[in-house]
Amino acid sequence: MPPDEDEELLDATATLQRGRAGQVRMVLRVLSGAEAGKAHPLKQGTYTVGKAPTCDIVLTDKAVSRQHLKLEVHAEHVVATDLGSHNGSFVEGLRFTAMELRPGSVITLGTTELKLVPEDTRERSLPLSSRDRFGALVGTSRKMREAFTVLERLAPGGADVLIHGETGTGKDLCAEAIHQLSPRAKGPFVIVDLAGVPSTLIESELFGHVKGSFTGAQGDRAGAFERAQNGTVFLDEIGELPLDLQPRLLRVLERRQVKRVGGNDYFTVNVRVVAASHVNLEQAVQQGKFRRDLFHRLAVLRVTLPALRERPEDIPLLIDHMLKLMGRQPGALSDQTRALLMQYPWPGNVRELRNVVEQVVNLGEEALPDLEAPQGADGRKGPDLDLPFKEAKEHLIEVFERDYLKNLIERCEGNISRASREADIDRVYLRKLLRKHGLDPSGEP
Ligand SMILES: Nc1ncnc2c1ncn2[C@@H]1O[C@H](COP(=O)(O)OP(=O)(O)OP(=O)(O)O)[C@@H](O)[C@H]1O
């Protein structure tokens, strides 16, 4: 398991505390070498890195000098200075004497790789967001509210973001929301779907080209990074980026400099990069399909959008949201249809749910496709088809009612009046239903 995923310990040893002011904003993670997995919190101030036990960050790596590197930690950046080391200090394969580092930079000293990351952004340690939407994404499940917490925190900043999620989980909507809720909202939002561009044209699409640089290049053209100046570039399906272009993207991420295909000059661009992938990029790295350094650089901030089968309690809210977008009332779908939609594991996620809801709303409930109800990932069974029809149907409705009410009451924090308004159910009837399922927050029998 890579150190990023590890239950890494924040190594807040006493040596790091002296003479440093303020909050920990960044962390230096050791990715490889004897100390792999350790994470050193950095406060504003100066740190030395090397083999000598007197260094603030000690690396027991034979190829590291006793006093190898100095790190000056500022509020938003870190300046790294090589202290005349024997084997040198490197970023992105280039040796440096002094260099300004951004979060995500990976420094190599001897055989040890160190990654600078913002303060702990692990989702599991974050509190749950109280919101039920983020941009155009909706959800009240614990998993979605965890994702919203991460998004609320990362959107206003400038760091690059990697979104992971199966197809149809809302990655596009998520990227757009990050842009809209950032100080770059007034700037352009440029989308490049790397799965949709022929591989021979990806380079020009991203970086632009000069006239005559290849057959068909009839004029100069700015690439996505240039077009997104002062805005955001969304690189969808980043796992499709050919290996030979990956170092070029890495350079843009590290230095914000772009050279058009066939051009000689580098342009400096001010862009935020949001990338998305439905494939597991860590696995792609292990299979040699994706560069490790690019992955680490992209994965500075990560957000995962959960599959719909992991959060069936979001289905009623999503259905209501979709009906609203289609200008329909919640009653446009019968309880029976809703119950069926709750049971299905949705391999195509929210997109597939939207398509089915659209189909049923436009063509009538007879048009409901044959949604088999295999056992869900959470172990919930579909309707028992061996029971008499009436009994099977009643059972299904019971399950739906319970799921719907549980979600409703959680969303409304136990407030019956609010729940009755939101669900458009009479208050007395709602209480009766809640009591029937043992969900009445007042606990009255
Ligand atoms: N949480 C959500 N709330 C509301 N609508 C959603 C949500 N997630 C997805 N959708 C709907 O599903 C559709 C597909 O979402 P989107 O295109 O963002 O998914 P994606 O993960 O980018 O898929 P792909 O990997 O296939 O590109 C959206 O148009 C939207 O209607």
Side-chain angles (χ1 to χ4, degrees):
M1 188 181 285
D4 273 7
E5 291 291 319
D6 225 334
E7 281 295 323
E8 77 270 84
L9 298 165
L10 282 186
D11 187 22
T13 45
T15 48
L16 294 185
Q17 306 302 327
R18 75 186 124 80
R20 272 142 211 151
Q23 304 260 309
V24 173
R25 302 221 169 202
M26 278 179 269
V27 171
L28 192 69
R29 280 195 194 154
V30 186
L31 301 182
S32 57
E35 282 80 24
K38 269 195 178 176
H40 301 274
L42 302 176
K43 292 186 176 181
Q44 282 186 43
T46 303
Y47 296 80
T48 49
V49 185
K51 214 164 47 194
T54 50
C55 284
D56 298 311
I57 297 170
V58 180
L59 299 175
T60 47
D61 175 344
K62 280 192 187 128
V64 167
S65 297
R66 286 178 60 76
Q67 302 279 335
H68 198 114
L69 190 74
K70 180 174 78 176
L71 296 173
E72 289 162 83
V73 181
H74 301 269
E76 304 292 339
H77 69 284
V78 173
V79 177
T81 310
D82 186 272
L83 296 172
S85 69
H86 189 69
N87 291 322
S89 304
F90 297 81
V91 164
E92 203 197 314
L94 294 177
R95 188 168 181 160
F96 66 87
T97 45
M99 181 151 184
E100 191 178 308
L101 303 175
R102 294 167 151 265
S105 295
V106 178
I107 320 164
T108 308
L109 310 181
T111 58
T112 305
E113 287 175 301
L114 304 161
K115 183 179 182 185
L116 191 66
V117 292
E119 189 191 1
D120 192 358
T121 50
R122 289 170 300 166
E123 292 166 47
R124 58 181 171 271
S125 58
L126 292 173
L128 289 186
S129 168
S130 57
R131 47 165 97 209
D132 61 6
R133 61 190 56 226
F134 185 84
L137 292 174
V138 302
T140 51
S141 57
R142 190 181 54 76
K143 290 202 170 200
M144 280 308 276
R145 286 192 289 140
E146 271 175 4
F148 291 162
T149 303
V150 177
L151 289 166
E152 277 162 23
R153 293 185 179 198
L154 62 78
D160 301 332
V161 182
L162 179 63
I163 307 168
H164 179 251
E166 291 180 10
T167 181
T169 48
K171 297 184 294 298
D172 289 44
L173 297 187
C174 179
E176 198 164 348
I178 292 172
H179 172 70
Q180 292 301 346
L181 295 166
S182 79
R184 296 172 176 271
K186 290 205 168 74
F189 178 67
V190 176
I191 305 174
V192 184
D193 176 6
L194 291 159
V197 182
S199 56
T200 48
L201 295 181
I202 290 182
E203 189 175 12
S204 151
E205 185 59 34
L206 291 175
F207 309 114
H209 61 247
V210 296
K211 186 176 172 181
S213 52
F214 56 89
T215 322
Q218 287 164 356
D220 288 357
R221 181 165 189 257
F225 288 102
E226 280 183 69
R227 297 200 305 277
Q229 188 67 290
N230 299 322
T232 306
V233 175
F234 173 44
L235 303 178
D236 200 3
E237 296 307 349
I238 187 73
E240 297 292 322
L241 185 67
L243 259 176
D244 59 322
L245 291 181
Q246 293 182 11
R248 293 200 61 185
L249 176 60
L250 185 60
R251 185 181 174 104
V252 180
L253 297 176
E254 284 289 353
R255 300 171 183 218
R256 309 283 141 170
Q257 286 179 336
V258 179
K259 189 162 75 167
R260 291 182 180 181
V261 177
N264 297 317
D265 304 321
Y266 277 98
F267 294 86
T268 299
V269 287
N270 174 2
V271 288
R272 180 183 210 179
V273 178
V274 177
S277 173
H278 78 278
V279 295
N280 180 336
L281 286 183
E282 271 150 335
Q283 247 169 38
V285 168
Q286 265 147 29
Q287 292 162 351
K289 293 182 187 154
F290 205 80
R291 284 180 67 116
R292 182 178 298 278
D293 47 8
L294 179 58
F295 169 72
H296 283 305
R297 183 62 191 77
L298 276 172
V300 174
L301 296 177
R302 269 195 268 183
V303 61
T304 301
L305 295 176
L308 192 50
R309 65 178 171 280
E310 294 169 33
R311 50 186 175 105
E313 65 270 38
D314 278 341
I315 294 177
L317 178 71
L318 282 164
I319 294 175
D320 289 344
H321 172 73
M322 289 162 183
L323 290 174
K324 205 167 166 186
L325 291 180
M326 293 169 205
R328 304 294 181 120
Q329 295 296 318
L333 285 190
S334 69
D335 285 355
Q336 266 160 291
T337 299
R338 283 175 179 262
L340 276 172
L341 300 183
M342 286 288 296
Q343 299 292 316
Y344 186 60
W346 301 109
N349 293 296
V350 188
R351 178 184 291 114
E352 189 185 5
L353 173 66
R354 187 199 61 192
N355 292 344
V356 169
V357 170
E358 229 166 52
Q359 213 169 327
V360 172
V361 163
N362 289 309
L363 302 175
E365 303 213 342
E366 316 80 76
L368 187 67
D370 198 9
L371 299 175
E372 279 175 32
Q375 188 153 329
D378 60 355
R380 294 182 341 153
K381 285 210 182 79
D384 192 339
L385 304 177
D386 295 325
L387 288 176
F389 175 75
K390 195 160 168 266
E391 230 176 300
K393 189 171 135 189
E394 268 164 13
H395 174 72
L396 197 60
I397 291 182
E398 289 275 315
V399 172
F400 158 70
E401 273 183 2
R402 198 173 49 247
D403 283 337
Y404 186 94
L405 294 169
K406 238 173 113 187
N407 177 56
L408 176 72
I409 216 70
E410 203 181 301
R411 188 166 90 223
C412 297
E413 293 162 320
N415 183 327
I416 304 274
S417 307
R418 200 175 126 203
S420 123
R421 267 195 317 276
E422 286 200 12
D424 201 14
I425 310 179
D426 173 71
R427 212 165 164 274
V428 177
Y429 180 56
L430 175 60
R431 253 197 200 288
K432 202 171 136 202
L433 279 178
L434 288 168
R435 272 202 296 272
K436 173 176 149 195
H437 290 283
L439 293 169
D440 190 339
S442 68
E444 287 169 22

